[in-house]
Structure formats: structure tokens, C-alpha cells
Amino acid sequence: MKILKEFALGILWAALTPLLLVVIAVVAVFAIGNFFYEFVLMVIHFFQGKKLFPPFEEDIKAYKILKRSIEEEEKKEEAKPAPAGPVYVQANYFTGTPPGMPPFPGDPRIGNPSSPYGVPPSVPPVPPPPIENREVPAIENKEGGDDQ
Amino acid sequence: MMNLFISLSETDKRALIILVILLVVFLILIALIGVAVRKTMIYQSKRADTMMHDATITHVVDTPKAFLNLGRRKNNRLLYRQSIPAFLLALLATIILIIGNLVNGRWGDNIFAVTGELFFAYDFDSAIVHVFGIPLIGNWPAVIHSPEFHIENLYIYMETLFYVAAIIVEAVACQAYISRWQMLHSRARTVFSKSLDGYNASDDIKVKRDKPLPPSD
């Protein structure tokens, strides 16, 4: 149906094409006069120091209104407080050795005279506690194990 | 109708079938031209919305009269800008015409007739046959004139080409002007129109309902 409608409109417009050509010829005569009129206006604007085709007053007003509304939107966005997000407290275990505890063996400040924290008193390295001999419980070999 | 068709000779039947096919092809071509013209004008008219959008949504123009006033001035300025190539082409062709005629002195020549010498000319009168009263081309038309190129007419060929190009460019610009003018008048009616469809005046009435009576014992 759409194709038939397009076909019918095409026939109608083709039948109206001679009338359209007549109207175009009339508008072309107007276009010649309009060309010289706009050309004279352009020359006047040039000698007045304005742009050749200055924007219309209505366009300037519309531009100001749009710009003001955009600036107001931006101000509203800036005025909104930043949402308070979750605060993660990162525990830093390497700021120093808690009192009563032996220094971490890998702490570079041990024995380093240029360290801003100074040279802690030399403490002999403490050997790790011995692993007690304990019986390891046997793992029961259940059915369906990896031995299959 | 079928008896008429049966009584025709074979030659007439073939001519009738060919005539119907040619008519259908002709109608399709005509319809395609019309579709092309319509689609082009719809495409050109959308520029009117672009021209008037900002001033309309900000209510700088808030009446149909103000809308049309601004639209007319913008449309005229755009027509001027789109006519500049056509005027430059026509100016160039005129300069070539003046310089060429000052050199050759051929002020009375018809430049379009001289340019026509570059194309074939056919004798269609001898080729037309009448089928059911309708004139159709029955034979290949005889060639009256073959193309001839004369170097001394080169400036005439160039100025004719530029004049034709200027006419085509200006015709397209004027068609665009008409399309935008029609869209501006349509929008001036619809953009500021208000509709009461779906509105019922009695829907706004608020009835003050009395408090319900307490239940009786």
C-alpha cells in the first residue's frame, strides 16, 4: 500500500511539476532582486565595520537565554555537595615496630644511619620459635579418590 | 471488449501490447520524477526547522506573526547565499561572451543554436506512425545533422555551458526557498496552536462531599 501511495503521490507531483517550474521562474525573478538587495546590505554592513551578515537580534537574545540556562545548570551541579563515599582505613603495619615486639627482619631502617627515624637500638635477631614435633594425622583414603 | 480484442489482427494485437507496456513504463518514469521532486523538497524544508529552532524554544518569537517575520528574513538571506554560485557562473559566462564578441564581432549569434551543432539532430516527422490515433515512433528517425566541432566557437560552447549550469543551480536554490517557505508557514500554524482534545471542563469541578452520617443504632 505504501508503494501505491508513493506511486500516486509521484504521479501527482509529476503532474504539478510544470506549475512548480512556473513558480520557480517567478521566485527566480524575486531572487535576482533579493540578491542585489542583500548585496547592498552586505556592502553597508562592511563599511559600518560590522560582520557582512550580522546575527539577527532574535538569535542574539536566544543565545543569551540558552547560555544563561546552561550556566545556571552548571552552578546547580557545582553547589551539590559531593556524595560521602565509604572511607577505607588502611592499616599500615610498616610505620614502626609496636612496643614490646622485635623489629621486622626486613625493616630497612634497621642499622641504617641515614634513616629519618634514626637508628633503632641494635637488637640481635631473634630466631624463630622451633616447630614442635607433632604427629600429623593420617589422611583417610576414601572411595573415589585420586588413586583411581 | 474481448470480442473487440479477438477481432483485431496479430499486428494490431502486438502494437496494442507494446503500447500498454510503453504506457506503464512511461507512467513509472513520470512517477519516479515526481517522487524525486517531492523527496528533494522534503529534505530542503528541514533547513527551516534548523533556522527557527533556538528562537522558538527560548520563546523569543512567541506569535505566528513574529515567527514568520524572522523566518522570512532568514529565508531571504539563505536564498542570497545559495544564489551566489549561480550569479558567479552567469557573470563568468557574460565576461566570456563580451570578450569573445569583442574579438570576433559576432554579437548577433544565438549561442544556444551554435552550441546545438555539437549534438545529433533527427527528423522525427518521417518516423512517426499513428496507432489507434496515437502518434508513436515507428521507425528509427533519420539523422539530419551530425555533431560538428568548430574551434572558433569554443568560447560560445563554454559560455553556454556556464549559463546552463547557472540556470540549474539557481532553479535548485529557488526550489529550496519554496520548500522552506512552505515549512515556515506550516510550523507557524502548528507550533503555536493549542488543542482541547481530551479535555473535559467538568473534570475540574471539585464536589464538596458532606460528612457521612454516623451509623444508626
Side-chain angles (χ1 to χ4, degrees):
Chain A
M1 282 302 291
K2 189 179 176 185
I3 293 175
L4 283 176
K5 181 185 168 188
E6 289 287 333
F7 180 79
L9 282 172
I11 295 285
L12 180 65
W13 274 89
L16 291 175
T17 299
L19 180 64
L20 180 65
L21 288 174
V22 170
V23 174
I24 286 176
V26 172
V27 171
V29 173
F30 164 77
I32 294 172
N34 176 68
F35 182 87
F36 289 111
Y37 172 74
E38 294 286 342
F39 182 77
V40 168
L41 275 184
M42 191 178 74
V43 170
I44 292 173
H45 290 148
F46 174 75
F47 284 109
Q48 284 178 345
K50 297 180 189 175
K51 281 186 178 179
L52 294 182
F53 291 107
F56 295 102
E57 288 179 9
E58 291 87 346
D59 287 337
I60 295 172
K61 285 182 192 172
Y63 174 74
K64 284 180 182 171
I65 292 171
L66 284 172
K67 193 178 170 186
R68 191 166 58 230
S69 66
I70 290 169
E71 285 171 356
E72 283 173 4
E73 285 292 326
E74 284 176 355
K75 281 181 187 172
K76 282 181 189 174
E77 287 287 330
E78 286 172 5
K80 280 182 188 176
V87 178
Y88 297 100
V89 178
Q90 185 174 4
N92 190 348
Y93 293 103
F94 301 100
T95 53
T97 307
M101 288 291 290
F104 183 64
D107 196 335
R109 292 171 292 176
I110 295 176
N112 185 5
S114 61
S115 167
Y117 301 99
V119 180
S122 58
V123 176
V126 177
I131 299 174
E132 296 174 357
N133 291 327
R134 292 176 293 175
E135 289 185 3
V136 178
I139 298 172
E140 295 179 1
N141 194 356
K142 295 181 182 175
E143 291 181 2
D146 295 337
D147 291 343
Q148 289 183 354
Chain B
M1 185 70 179
M2 284 304 294
N3 291 334
L4 176 64
F5 189 74
I6 291 169
S7 65
L8 294 173
S9 66
E10 286 297 321
T11 310
D12 288 343
K13 282 181 190 173
R14 285 178 194 162
L16 189 63
I17 291 168
I18 292 171
L19 181 66
V20 168
I21 292 172
L22 285 176
L23 188 66
V24 169
V25 170
F26 178 72
L27 279 177
I28 290 173
L29 287 173
I30 294 293
L32 285 174
I33 292 172
V35 167
V37 170
R38 179 169 167 264
K39 296 279 189 192
T40 304
M41 292 190 75
I42 289 172
Y43 173 77
Q44 290 168 335
S45 67
K46 291 179 182 174
R47 189 74 179 265
D49 282 346
T50 306
M51 289 191 319
M52 300 301 298
H53 178 266
D54 287 349
T56 307
I57 62 168
T58 53
H59 292 273
V60 173
V61 288
D62 50 5
T63 60
K65 189 176 177 184
F67 184 92
L68 283 173
N69 189 359
L70 178 62
R72 177 181 50 80
R73 284 181 284 147
K74 284 182 171 243
N75 205 8
N76 289 344
R77 184 179 282 186
L78 189 55
L79 175 64
Y80 166 76
R81 285 182 183 227
Q82 290 180 341
S83 300
I84 290 175
F87 275 87
L88 288 176
L89 284 168
L91 183 66
L92 181 62
T94 306
I95 291 172
I96 294 174
L97 175 77
I98 292 171
I99 295 174
N101 287 341
L102 281 173
V103 171
N104 294 320
R106 295 166 61 179
W107 295 98
D109 282 358
N110 183 349
I111 60 172
F112 296 101
V114 172
T115 308
E117 294 174 357
L118 292 174
F119 304 96
F120 281 100
Y122 298 96
D123 181 17
F124 288 97
D125 291 335
S126 62
I128 287 178
V129 295
H130 291 268
V131 177
F132 299 105
I134 301 170
L136 291 176
I137 297 175
N139 301 313
W140 190 257
V143 176
I144 298 175
H145 171 76
S146 296
E148 290 176 2
F149 179 82
H150 299 281
I151 191 66
E152 61 269 16
N153 293 340
L154 181 63
Y155 75 97
I156 294 179
Y157 304 148
M158 287 172 62
E159 69 196 34
T160 307
L161 178 67
F162 288 138
Y163 275 131
V164 170
I167 290 170
I168 291 171
V169 170
E170 185 63 23
V172 171
C174 292
Q175 182 193 8
Y177 178 84
I178 294 167
S179 306
R180 291 191 299 267
W181 180 86
Q182 188 274 332
M183 176 60 88
L184 284 170
H185 279 263
S186 171
R187 292 291 193 220
R189 278 193 312 254
T190 58
V191 163
F192 300 103
S193 64
K194 300 174 185 175
S195 174
L196 289 172
D197 285 342
Y199 175 76
N200 191 339
S202 59
D203 290 342
D204 286 345
I205 296 175
K206 288 181 175 40
V207 178
K208 187 177 178 182
R209 299 184 184 278
D210 295 330
K211 289 182 182 177
L213 294 173
S216 58
D217 292 333

